[in-house]
Amino acid sequence: MEMKIGITNDHRGYILKEKLIRFLNEKGYDVVDYGAVSEDAVDFPDYAKKLGEGVLSGEVDLGIAICGTGIGMSIALNKMKGIYCAKVSNLSEAMLSKAHNNANVMAISSDLEDN
């Protein structure tokens, strides 16, 4: 069975999200895009909720949330019962959050991306 990954962003995370979708598709992952669809200002909790609902319903297996710092998305997602969102800054944190904390969503900062 193919892993399905949900991805969401706020306006600051749009460019990185688009890059990640292309990368994940090239690696063979099925990706569900929960928005936002441009760099126009949006309220990040609305998009965090869409991703969280996708993970909780089983529509996607895991999630990636992107905002300027990754912190806002992480806070919003962790308010949802059954979501375990880790704000990660590197590969080691991403791997350990899944292996040791059973994270089902990771939040990342678009500010760390080298645009």
Side-chain angles (χ1 to χ4, degrees):
M1 183 170 104
E2 183 176 288
M3 180 173 293
K4 192 178 277 192
I5 299 174
I7 192 165
T8 196
N9 60 285
D10 69 358
H11 50 283
R12 290 176 61 194
Y14 175 71
I15 292 171
L16 179 56
K17 180 196 71 176
E18 293 299 306
K19 290 179 184 180
L20 279 174
I21 289 173
R22 285 190 300 274
F23 174 81
L24 291 167
N25 286 157
E26 289 171 6
K27 297 293 181 187
Y29 292 99
D30 187 10
V31 179
V32 176
D33 183 354
Y34 292 100
V37 297
S38 74
E39 292 182 273
D40 293 340
V42 296
D43 293 327
F44 72 87
D46 297 338
Y47 293 90
K49 183 179 179 187
K50 290 178 185 185
L51 174 63
E53 289 172 345
V55 171
L56 292 172
S57 72
E59 180 180 16
V60 295
D61 300 301
L62 298 170
I64 301 170
I66 309 162
C67 65
T69 63
I71 297 167
M73 284 285 191
S74 178
I75 290 170
L77 281 153
N78 280 316
K79 290 182 178 187
M80 300 178 75
K81 184 178 173 128
I83 295 295
Y84 303 96
C85 180
K87 194 288 190 187
V88 301
S89 300
N90 57 54
L91 179 59
S92 178
E93 290 176 356
M95 292 172 61
L96 290 170
S97 70
K98 180 64 178 154
H100 293 273
N101 305 109
N102 199 31
N104 51 12
V105 179
M106 70 174 179
I108 58 177
S109 167
S110 65
D111 291 347
L112 297 179
E113 168 64 5
D114 214 3
N115 291 322

